Amino acid sequence: MSAAQEGTFTGLRSQLQAAATAFADGPDALEGILLGIVDDVDRAVREPLEIFPVCHHSPASALAMARRLREKQPKVVYLELCEDMAPLLTELRNCRLPVAVQAFATEIEGFPADWSPLSVVAPITEASAEYQAIAYALDTPGVELVLVDRSSDHVFQWDARGADPSEPSEPAGPGAPGEEEAALHGDAVGVEIGDLRPRFAELEEHLLRHGRVRHWSEWWHQYVELPLGDSDHDTYRQVMLLIGSLFRRLAPGDLRRVRVDEDRERYMWTRMREHLAATGTDPADCLYVCGAFHAASRVAEFGVDGADGFEIGPRTATRWQHGLIPSSHAAIEAQFGLASGSVSIASTVWAKNVRRTRVEPFRLAGQAGTKKRASAAKAGPAAADAAVPASDRLSGFLQRPPVLDRLDEAELLGWSVEIVRAARRNGYLASTADAIAVFETSILLAGMRDRAKPTPYDFQDAAVTCIEKDTVPGRRDVRRLVEIMMGGDRTGQVGYDALPPLARDVHDRLAPLGLKLQQRGVRRALLDIASRPELEKCSDVLWMLRYLMPQGAARPIMGERRLGERPIQESWDLALGTHQRALIELGYEGVSIEQVLEQRLRRTAYDPRATTAVVLEAVEDATLHLRSRRLADELGTRALEVLATERSVDGAPEVLRRVRGLLAYYRTSEPVLPPWIESFVRTGYAHYCTLLPTAFTDEDATVRQVAAMLGFLFSMEGLALSLGCDRMQLELAVAQSHPEEPAKVALLWAARIQLGSLSRAELRARCDELLGNPLVVPAYPRYLSGFLHALEPVPALAEFVVEAVSNAFARLPDPVLLPWLPNLIGTLRSGGAEQVPLLIREAGRIFPGRLRALDTWVPPWRVEPDPRMGRSARPGGAGRSVPLLAAHPATCDAAAELLGCDVVWETTDPGPRGAALVHAHPATAAALQALPAPEPVGR
């Protein structure tokens, strides 16, 4: 080590030691911190392998990186990025930035199962130092790019699950973009170069208060970005090292986080030394790009001559998939706790600095949305640059007063006019006077904050004060309008060539639609399958995407998919470009959407918490979307296994609905029923018979669930008996049921009606007894609720339910009836809304069709028995229909012959010989009598 290098920061050390003695009670604590910072900077500067400290998404870092790469032209670039992401970087040229490099894993081993899926993202923008290094290394012949940070697997091995409570965050505020843009990264763990921010909350609060700024992003823009925008390489490097060391030494003693940081630094230096030893590269021809926090490291492994012995543990057996997903400024801000709009402002500052300094940035050849860059400068300055020792630039930088930028009145005036124009378009009553007020207020705020030139943040505050006032007429406030004007929330896009095979296959199969599905926004797709049968394959893809992707990616407007039906016409709203991340992540699970859907269905069916209804839904989805009899049979067998182990009836309604649908489908489309569904009906019959007595008395079992059980037993009874079940089992289960809740009691009565152990007359008598008991009348709606649910297993009871409701209205006095009506309506709406249409149809059949007939109408259940007929002679029934039949004997004889009835006319009653037909079919005669009389002609 030369004497010049030893004394590089001698003067700065002396000044800081004197300041520590003057301003502290004793020189020990403060002197140790200040001199330690200088030692960290000196150590990093003297390292033979040049360390380039950066801050994530910093225009100053990106500009300094572009300038340094053209000067030094290193042969090897070491980059702080997960080493397993290296193969993806070449695909960046097929994307429009910002995008994120992602490592994704659904099949995990070595981690807790509830962590799945694992996801790590590293967002990349054009205004970032890492993109400049990547573009230089990939497009410059003879240059090697080496990623040296821990792998994605080690990220989860070393870090605890969840956010670090000590990590500061900045709320997005009311002007933040929508959740859709901010959630582009999902719940992935973010990895970035240069996470440079105070970890000591009191230090950040002190800096914000004395800097007269609102949040950290504004402080960084004012006191770091602007001063370093025009600085030379040595000044930039030493200042960034100083900041990194300061934040590192003033960080709280979080042992877990410190351990992870130091292990990362040991990991990176170990990888670099391994590469240098393997390739024999001269450290002077290399450049190490890392965050300023890690550049000021004090671990023993630091440097090319550091200590060896750090062992890198093996990765787990987790299968990692890698790809590129779209990112956005809002997603980056949300994931890394930055202020809303800060990344957009940084992008604007980057473009302005490039124009002002005329530094030519590096861009990947063929990069979407960028211009083709000129060829890199020829090598030559690097050797001379390496021979010049670094001088002390910190002393001058720290002692120099801030440079007062001249007010750019044209720029500020343009901002003021543009924000007023944008405010008008969004419903604000803004005028030219408001533009002038924004202009003057921006200058005033900058002066109050000791700034000669208003920053974008000063202008934003002025615009909110002068334009928004106290109301927001539209969905965007003025703060969000300023962010859009400064660059907006740019959203990246992954190109077709960089998509995984599944995503490319989806776009290829939807090509017949003729839509630009890779673009963001909603596209309307119209499928006339009847005239273009080839579009049916597109329909299959869209229904699978609707099942697999988030809501809104593929939304049907017209058309539906049911078992046994073929599509004719469909209309869809597609937003695959907006949900590109979700489509890409599907590609990590398989090579086709059919494979992914089959895996999802199996995963759902074989989940330990899956219920019978859930597995039956998977069977239906496999039949609908995949048309796979093999998979449906496999999942159906699984449903049979789950049903046999269930001990509750929670899913009985859903089981009944889905089994009925599948039975109807198989009966119409298959010559014979699949073996699994026959076994399911047989097992379900015995299963629900066993659980029925318990369900009737269980307080947790609802009336709807018990009714669904009875519906399964009664509707599947014919098939179950043909498969070998015994009806005696159901009769015993009903006989052993003794419910106490009124609704379940009514349900039991309906079941006994269906089994024949209770007659309609007995049931009518019981209901009359309930209405006649004043103590039971308040509970009568609950009995009606039970009867209403009983329409599921016993639909023939609809006539009696109409009778029961009508009797209540007829017999209850107004003081009892009127307070009871709200309870009745609520019971009908909440307890059995799906059965109300059936009741309405039945009431329409029973009640007269004309208002004038209501006065003389007699309810069928109030007709007195006819002594001649020996049975109830209802209006329109046997007793009153005899004259009609006697007047038209030919009609009666024809009907008897058609129905195969061989009857003989009674000799005691000179009536038509078909009179016996009335006794055999009284309901038909009653229906004929209920028909309205024809209107007179000409009325």
Side-chain angles (χ1 to χ4, degrees), residues 269-306:
W269 280 109
T270 300
R271 289 301 193 205
M272 285 186 284
R273 283 198 298 270
E274 291 176 354
H275 182 269
L276 291 173
T279 60
T281 307
D282 187 357
D285 294 333
C286 303
L287 187 68
Y288 172 34
V289 183
C290 67
F293 191 88
H294 297 295
S297 174
R298 302 190 300 273
V299 297
E301 289 80 3
F302 180 89
V304 294
D305 298 324

Side-chain angles (χ1 to χ4, degrees), residues 753 759-765 768 796-804 807 842 845-847 856-885 918-919 921-931:
I753 287 284
S759 65
R760 291 286 185 95
E762 294 174 338
L763 182 60
R764 186 175 293 108
D768 291 340
L797 207 62
E799 180 183 0
F800 177 80
V801 176
V802 174
E803 175 185 342
N807 283 336
E842 185 65 25
R845 189 187 66 83
I846 295 177
F847 287 89
T856 60
W857 176 76
V858 179
W861 51 86
R862 288 192 178 180
V863 177
E864 295 296 333
D866 190 342
R868 294 181 305 164
M869 311 302 293
R871 59 194 307 158
S872 175
R874 298 187 178 186
R880 297 181 58 182
S881 298
V882 170
L884 177 64
L885 298 175
V918 179
H919 299 282
H921 304 281
T924 303
L928 290 174
Q929 180 66 20
L931 291 176

Side-chain angles (χ1 to χ4, degrees), residues 880-929:
R880 297 181 58 182
S881 298
V882 170
L884 177 64
L885 298 175
H888 304 279
T891 304
C892 185
D893 291 339
E897 183 179 357
L898 181 64
L899 296 175
C901 296
D902 187 11
V903 295
V904 179
W905 291 96
E906 296 181 5
T907 57
T908 59
D909 188 0
R913 290 177 298 173
L917 182 64
V918 179
H919 299 282
H921 304 281
T924 303
L928 290 174
Q929 180 66 20

Side-chain angles (χ1 to χ4, degrees), residues 321-508:
Q321 304 285 339
H322 298 84
L324 297 171
I325 62 172
S327 183
S328 67
H329 292 170
I332 297 172
E333 292 159 359
Q335 187 168 31
F336 296 95
L338 304 177
S340 177
S342 58
V343 178
S344 298
I345 292 176
S347 179
T348 303
V349 173
W350 157 256
K352 183 178 179 180
N353 287 347
V354 169
R355 292 192 302 268
R356 179 173 53 84
T357 61
R358 298 188 178 184
V359 173
E360 185 179 4
F362 291 92
R363 294 186 176 95
L364 287 170
Q367 181 80 59
T370 60
K371 298 179 181 179
K372 184 179 180 181
R373 69 174 182 87
S375 58
K378 294 182 180 180
D385 179 80
V388 178
S391 59
D392 179 12
R393 302 296 180 90
L394 280 178
S395 299
F397 181 85
L398 296 176
Q399 295 175 359
R400 184 177 68 239
V403 177
L404 299 179
D405 292 341
R406 181 176 59 84
L407 174 63
D408 191 344
E409 293 187 0
E411 180 187 53
L412 184 58
L413 185 60
W415 287 356
S416 303
V417 173
E418 184 62 30
I419 190 58
V420 169
R421 183 182 294 112
R424 286 175 179 171
R425 289 196 300 264
N426 285 268
Y428 291 89
L429 299 177
S431 63
T432 305
D434 292 312
I436 298 174
V438 172
F439 180 87
E440 297 295 342
T441 306
S442 300
I443 298 176
L444 176 63
L445 287 177
M448 294 173 60
R449 296 166 178 172
D450 295 332
R451 303 169 187 167
K453 177 183 178 181
T455 66
Y457 298 97
D458 298 325
F459 171 76
Q460 189 179 56
D461 292 341
V464 172
T465 302
C466 299
I467 298 178
E468 185 174 302
K469 300 177 177 67
D470 59 345
T471 58
V472 178
R475 64 187 181 91
R476 291 192 178 106
D477 58 11
V478 174
R479 190 175 303 279
R480 177 59 183 153
L481 294 178
V482 174
E483 295 170 7
I484 295 175
M485 190 189 72
M486 290 292 177
D489 182 22
R490 296 180 184 176
T491 303
Q493 183 184 45
V494 180
Y496 175 85
D497 294 331
L499 292 174
L502 180 144
R504 293 200 301 268
D505 178 63
V506 168
H507 284 287
D508 293 341

